[in-house]
Amino acid sequence: IGGTIAKKLVKGGYKVSIANSKGKFAVEKFASEIGAEPRDISTISKDAEVLILSIPFGAIPKLSKDIFQNLPNNALIYRYN
């Protein structure tokens, strides 16, 4: 789901950054293919206006708190599962 959302947002002209639990290098190829920026979890929210989480519901308690570390106060968070 997350990959499809990222593709559509890039196609719509939005600046998109993507990350996963395996690190920046794990998403570099996909990010390059769709025109997104690969990032680590700890930097994914930096300068974000919207943060979309596409993770299984059961993984939410295990989600690293680092993901919210740099999130601006006025950013919107949307969760898909």
Side-chain angles (χ1 to χ4, degrees), residues 2-77:
T4 300
I5 294 168
K7 286 180 194 177
K8 290 185 181 281
L9 289 171
V10 168
K11 189 175 180 180
Y14 293 93
K15 181 182 173 194
V16 175
S17 299
I18 58 174
N20 72 17
S21 61
K22 296 177 181 136
K24 177 180 177 178
F25 298 109
V27 296
E28 279 185 337
K29 182 179 180 207
F30 177 68
S32 176
E33 289 172 358
I34 68 167
E37 179 184 357
R39 289 198 183 181
D40 289 314
I41 291 289
S42 62
T43 62
I44 192 64
S45 60
K46 186 176 189 268
D47 302 322
E49 293 179 26
V50 177
L51 178 64
I52 299 173
L53 302 174
S54 179
I55 60 174
F57 186 75
I60 292 172
K62 299 174 190 168
L63 186 63
S64 172
K65 304 296 185 260
D66 290 346
I67 199 167
F68 305 106
Q69 176 177 300
N70 298 309
L71 191 65
N73 291 336
N74 61 343
L76 174 67
I77 301 173

